[in-house]
Amino acid sequence: MEFKFEKAAALKAKPADETQLGFGKVFTDYMFVMDYDTGEGWHDGRIVPYAPISLSPASMCLHYGQEVFEGMKAYRTKEGNIQLFRPEENFKRLNQSNERLVIPHLDETLALEGLKALLEVEKDWVPSAPGTSLYIRPFIIAVDPFLGVRPGDKYMFIIILSPSGAYYASGLNPVSIYVENKYVRAVRGGMGFAKTGGNYAASLIGQDEAHKQNYSQVLWLDGVEQKYIEEVGAMNIFFVIGDEVVTPELQGSILPGITRKSTIELCKSWGMKVSERRISIQEIADAYDRGELKEVFGTGTAAVISPVGHLKWNDKVMEINGNKIGAISQKLYDTMTGIQWGELDDPFNWVVKL
Ligand code: PLP
Ligand code: COI
């Protein structure tokens, strides 16, 4: 597929020190844009200079939050090649989010072709310092200038790129997590499984409270009884209890993470016992008291595998594995990143080379 290309008047300087990138602050020279109009479908896929976009102040996405997004990465291998990790899963999930928010289906092959064409233009922006990658943010917004509440008739699909380092300033050092017991993020039947801005807006107040108490992230409990564990602000959560690896099952209120899915597949391939089931926070506290809570870690594209060193639930502070990364978390991190950066074999065919 050929996309129109509009050349930028000038190119930006690439970051001088890739070790100082941080997350999501620097953007590349170009972006991919495609429009949707009812009756016409998705049309005019194009690569244009990265720049502010012009929207009517009445655009529906600004008022009623009809928006979805994805998060993925392009990795540079030692040999200098560029590869993606399970990108078809991201575009499949984008359509699951679309369906929930009544946004028109986007052809997944076309979306991936648009991304590959953009990456072809921007390949020099994929950083090579250890632990860095090019973060990819595809998103869709409803742009009709209309203040009535209904699904839009006009949308924009945009992909922007951001060379990035670790999501958490602490890198692979364990993060401290606060269990939120007042607010909830999502309920079953709601849109917790969709990757849409509203879920993140709902989570900010909890994150703010966590920060005030010197915790970096929030662990959300279920929206009905506030007893069962759901997920963290930007990652899914796993527990190692005795010899069992446990993670909350997918019931519609948490994001079906691609790193979560890959973690389950890896652990099963190593012969470990893995369960996707309901886990109450009380069960975790009890396992901790018995000395059986061996490891806790989060999984996500931005967060990769993030060990959890402290978990605070009401007045109880649990220190996990002496606030050090555990053996399973380390093995998962090494294997996942080894496959992503092309340093290990890819027995599951997860990698898509550019
Ligand atoms: N849960 C939430 C709320 C997230 O924002 C993310 C990040 O994308 C995840 C889980 C992990 O999903 P994935 O592994 O697909 O990045
Ligand atoms: C990702 O891991 O890709 C995410 O989208 C998390 C994010 C909200 C920063």
Side-chain angles (χ1 to χ4, degrees), residues 80-97:
N81 300 321
I82 293 166
Q83 52 190 40
L84 298 164
F85 184 73
R86 313 190 81 173
E88 64 294 340
E89 293 282 341
N90 289 92
F91 290 120
K92 190 165 111 193
R93 187 171 65 188
L94 186 70
N95 272 326
Q96 288 163 2
S97 303

Side-chain angles (χ1 to χ4, degrees), residues 23 69-73 90 93 135-137 167 195 200 233-235 255 259 299-304:
F23 178 81
F69 70 97
E70 267 306 322
M72 55 215 284
K73 286 174 171 173
N90 289 92
R93 187 171 65 188
Y135 186 76
I136 300 166
R137 173 53 60 85
Y167 183 66
K195 210 160 163 63
Y200 296 80
M235 51 190 197
L255 194 80
T259 324
T299 63
T301 299
V304 196

Side-chain angles (χ1 to χ4, degrees), residues 7-317:
K7 205 165 168 11
L11 300 183
K12 290 178 249 184
K14 309 265 182 318
D17 183 357
E18 290 183 349
T19 63
Q20 299 301 311
L21 280 170
F23 178 81
K25 294 187 285 198
V26 176
F27 300 95
T28 69
D29 292 309
Y30 291 95
M31 59 188 182
F32 180 85
V33 181
M34 187 157 58
D35 301 313
Y36 178 93
D37 287 271
T38 295
E40 203 177 344
W42 289 103
H43 64 91
D44 283 299
R46 57 203 183 270
I47 293 167
V48 298
Y50 179 94
I53 51 174
S54 167
L55 288 181
S56 160
S59 291
M60 293 173 72
C61 62
L62 301 177
H63 300 273
Y64 308 124
Q66 204 190 5
E67 182 266 358
V68 294
F69 70 97
E70 267 306 322
M72 55 215 284
K73 286 174 171 173
Y75 306 86
R76 188 177 292 285
T77 66
K78 262 206 309 288
E79 296 74 31
N81 300 321
I82 293 166
Q83 52 190 40
L84 298 164
F85 184 73
R86 313 190 81 173
E88 64 294 340
E89 293 282 341
N90 289 92
F91 290 120
K92 190 165 111 193
R93 187 171 65 188
L94 186 70
N95 272 326
Q96 288 163 2
S97 303
N98 280 343
E99 192 176 323
R100 180 62 180 81
L101 279 106
V102 199
I103 293 174
H105 182 92
L106 174 63
D107 184 285
E108 289 158 28
T109 309
L110 177 66
L112 186 53
E113 281 187 19
L115 171 61
K116 285 183 175 170
L118 177 65
L119 288 171
E120 194 53 46
V121 174
E122 295 290 64
K123 52 180 182 281
D124 290 349
W125 279 94
V126 183
S128 53
T132 62
S133 56
L134 187 68
Y135 186 76
I136 300 166
R137 173 53 60 85
F139 63 102
I140 300 177
I141 48 176
V143 296
D144 314 41
F146 178 58
L147 294 183
V149 179
R150 61 151 173 80
D153 278 320
K154 292 165 107 39
Y155 297 87
M156 287 174 88
F157 170 58
I158 303 179
I159 308 176
I160 56 174
L161 306 173
S162 175
S164 293
Y167 183 66
Y168 297 121
S170 59
L172 236 199
N173 293 325
V175 291
S176 57
I177 288 189
Y178 160 93
V179 182
E180 175 56 58
N181 53 15
K182 180 174 171 197
Y183 302 105
V184 298
R185 172 190 175 274
V187 289
R188 241 178 291 157
M191 56 183 195
F193 69 90
K195 210 160 163 63
T196 179
N199 287 329
Y200 296 80
S203 76
L204 295 177
I205 192 165
Q207 191 170 316
D208 206 41
E209 186 54 40
H211 287 172
K212 281 189 195 136
Q213 299 194 31
N214 277 328
Y215 284 78
S216 66
Q217 289 287 308
V218 175
L219 178 61
W220 294 98
L221 299 179
D222 76 277
V224 179
E225 295 176 82
Q226 288 183 263
K227 270 168 71 176
Y228 297 99
I229 290 169
E230 298 248 299
E231 64 178 329
V232 182
M235 51 190 197
N236 295 111
I237 188 95
F238 284 76
F239 302 88
V240 183
I241 305 174
D243 63 357
E244 184 191 17
V245 178
V246 201
T247 193
E249 64 191 333
L250 302 177
Q251 285 187 325
S253 55
I254 66 172
L255 194 80
I258 294 156
T259 324
R260 173 189 181 279
K261 180 174 178 173
S262 309
T263 295
I264 293 170
E265 288 168 25
L266 275 177
C267 287
K268 285 188 175 162
S269 78
W270 295 333
M272 297 169 92
K273 183 174 167 208
V274 186
S275 313
E276 296 175 69
R277 61 171 173 82
R278 284 222 297 198
I279 314 156
S280 70
I281 183 68
Q282 187 66 55
E283 176 186 344
I284 296 302
D286 292 345
Y288 178 80
D289 289 341
R290 289 196 309 273
E292 288 177 11
L293 183 62
K294 305 288 185 212
E295 295 185 36
V296 182
F297 57 91
T299 63
T301 299
V304 196
I305 302 289
S306 276
V308 176
H310 289 97
L311 199 56
K312 179 176 193 276
W313 178 41
N314 296 328
D315 294 330
K316 188 178 181 78
V317 177

